[in-house]
């Protein structure tokens, strides 16, 4: 999985019908400390993530292995909202200290 | 999934027979605001997208999970036509304002 | 899928036995107009493509969804021989005009 | 698979429920000699790896083929702790000589 | 598939138990003529390849479709030992002429 930050949403009225009801998040990949990279993906939301959240997202067939995305044609899904990234006995990221 | 713009079509008479009847779109990946990148893919069309449309496309085994592409050997499928990309309480892209 | 040009073949006597009988094509990825990139792959041939042909090739599990490659351990397969690439109401590539 | 070094952990309270109980390791890809690259992934742990370990990690559907990750939506899993990397009759890496 | 050269092996005592008995080869991707690139992977061996061999390796779920790797969590497998790479009516690589 990769770490990314939710930076927006994508709305599409005309779509493959099995995608109905999913939320599509615009996610920008980040370094472990939350610093934004240049890389964007659009991911289905499996956890109720919102703008600003640092998240874990999975790609490939694993993206379809959640309650929300089962048997739906998505290739990237937000799986978790990150609380802490610990690196070398320090915190690279803490959700608490972001606000 | 990635965001891309449909910029053309690919025609192939001689092909694996299970691909018969599919439309192959030439899609150029874009930034969230629709700006074109250098990256091209050829995707099966599951939603009736046409030249100029900003679309979402999925790759890998998920590309075969639509009514149109089921059990066909495609690895990239256009899944939705994008109406809006919302980013930081603003619109990075609006289909309405393109024409 | 990607567009590539068949530029050669790969011969391997000692191989996983389920690969017996397949032809392995050396394919160089191209731009939509057929211009060669630096990227090479080796793909199983599902359509009888030959040197010089512009082709569509698929990767991942989709590469195993053809009559020729079913249940064989290939991750890239040539699926079609390209006749035309249409881009912005013009032809980026025409097989007819190559000779 | 790729070789990487475990450099930290990621904690996420709110997550897809089928991920409960897994440990998520922050892994930095390395050269065969253990030299760190710029590339990070977050991988489920199948072997009890810890900070500093050089490991092998697998991606894609293979990441779900372990006792620990079976049927869980993970796309990257740490599969082994590396003891030795032998290259050209020499050791590019030896776990023994690291301490 | 990609072409690579076997440049070493990786030994790991502590590993996911379903990997027991597999040989892990350190493979460096090459150009069609066998010239080494900067890209390394660790691949399970399905054909008895050894140091110096030019090989074809497959990635993703296809890596698990061999007699040796079936149902094991590997994402890259060496599938064949290359004898010849023919390119533009010439030999880009001949195993015979290497020694």
């Amino acid at each position: 999985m990769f770490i990314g930050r939710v930076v927006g949403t994508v709305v599409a009225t005309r779509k493959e019908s099995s995608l109905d009801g999913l939320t599509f998040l615009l996610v920008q990949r980040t370094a472990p400390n939350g610093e934004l990279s240049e890389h964007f993906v659009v991911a289905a939301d499996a956890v109720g993530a919102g703008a600003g959240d640092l998240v874990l997202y999975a790609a490939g067939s694993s993206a379809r292995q959640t309650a929300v995305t089962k048997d739906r044609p998505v290739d990237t899904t937000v799986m978790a909202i990150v609380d802490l990234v610990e690196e070398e006995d320090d915190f690279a990221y803490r959700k608490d200290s972001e606000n």
Side-chain angles (χ1 to χ4, degrees), chain A:
Chain A
M1 291 186 286
F2 291 114
I3 303 173
R5 197 177 289 274
V6 178
V7 295
T9 52
V10 176
V11 177
T13 313
R14 188 156 149 197
K15 59 182 176 254
E16 159 70 16
S17 61
S18 55
L19 294 175
D20 283 351
L22 291 175
T23 300
F24 292 104
L25 299 171
L26 183 65
V27 177
Q28 197 165 352
R29 199 190 292 184
T30 70
N33 64 1
E35 203 179 315
L36 299 172
S37 77
E38 297 296 310
H39 188 80
F40 284 92
V41 292
V42 176
D45 180 22
V47 291
D53 284 337
L54 205 71
V55 296
L56 292 179
Y57 62 96
S61 55
S62 300
R64 300 194 308 269
Q65 310 284 318
T66 74
V68 169
T69 58
K70 195 160 178 49
D71 296 327
R72 296 177 179 222
V74 300
D75 64 358
T76 318
T77 299
V78 169
M79 295 290 181
I81 299 175
V82 174
D83 293 317
L84 289 175
V85 179
E86 179 275 332
E87 196 179 351
E88 293 174 8
D89 296 328
D90 204 347
F91 295 114
Y93 170 84
R94 289 177 60 180
K95 188 179 165 77
D96 286 355
S97 65
E98 282 227 314
N99 302 312

